[in-house]
Amino acid sequence: SVSKVLNRNVIVRILCYTIGLVGIFFSVEFQFWLNKYLKDIPRIYDLLYLVFGRSLFTIFTCLLVLPALVGKGRVLHALFSNNFMAVSAKLTYGVYMLHEVFRDYFVYSSYASMHAAFDLSILWFCSLTLIAYIASTFLFLFI
């Protein structure tokens, strides 16, 4: 099984860490490059990022975390298996599911664009995140 291979072979663990870190770095760099030169590049790069970008980022993140979860990474294993992390993960997932609903409601129900000023957009981001955390907490406690 995967846990036996990761526990026995140090090279496989190092390879997972390396591929995960390098893959995350290149996927983030590609996203920054794509946003910087969006009007100068062909649309195929934008399409490739939309189709494969998030999936590859998730795969690389899993490669980075997998050896710590099933391998000999005792500190990370203890951290991830803690009860606080389970509750925190459920709340964070709830915020992930709810923030888009609140953002769409506030953006599309206003007459002026909220992203006109940088300070205003930071204020809206913080307030919508707080509202999403409050709603996620209520849903976690009562459902």
Side-chain angles (χ1 to χ4, degrees):
S1 75
V2 175
S3 63
K4 288 181 183 178
V5 171
L6 287 172
N7 280 328
R8 291 181 187 160
N9 202 341
V10 176
I11 295 173
V12 173
R13 282 198 311 268
I14 292 173
L15 193 64
C16 284
Y17 286 136
T18 306
I19 291 172
L21 279 174
V22 169
I24 288 172
F25 174 76
F26 279 118
S27 63
V28 169
E29 282 297 316
F30 182 72
Q31 178 185 2
F32 285 139
W33 176 77
L34 188 66
N35 288 332
K36 187 175 181 181
Y37 302 109
L38 187 61
K39 297 187 180 196
D40 301 333
I41 60 173
R43 283 289 195 206
I44 188 70
Y45 294 118
D46 191 22
L47 180 67
L48 286 174
Y49 175 73
L50 287 174
V51 172
F52 299 112
R54 293 180 182 171
S55 301
L56 286 175
F57 184 81
T58 304
I59 290 170
F60 291 136
T61 304
C62 288
L63 278 175
L64 184 65
V65 174
L66 183 69
L69 289 178
V70 298
K72 292 184 179 179
R74 302 286 182 234
V75 175
L76 287 177
H77 182 71
L79 178 72
F80 287 143
S81 64
N82 192 352
N83 289 335
F84 174 76
M85 283 298 282
V87 172
S88 175
K90 289 179 183 177
L91 288 175
T92 305
Y93 183 70
V95 170
Y96 166 72
M97 297 299 284
L98 291 172
H99 86 283
E100 197 70 30
V101 174
F102 293 123
R103 185 188 64 88
D104 287 346
Y105 173 75
F106 284 113
V107 167
Y108 294 124
S109 65
S110 64
Y111 290 112
S113 175
M114 286 185 222
H115 305 290
F118 181 70
D119 295 333
L120 187 61
S121 65
I122 290 176
L123 178 67
W124 275 109
F125 172 76
C126 292
S127 62
L128 291 177
T129 304
L130 179 67
I131 291 170
Y133 263 107
I134 291 170
S136 176
T137 302
F138 281 121
L139 288 174
F140 176 71
L141 292 175
F142 298 118
I143 293 180

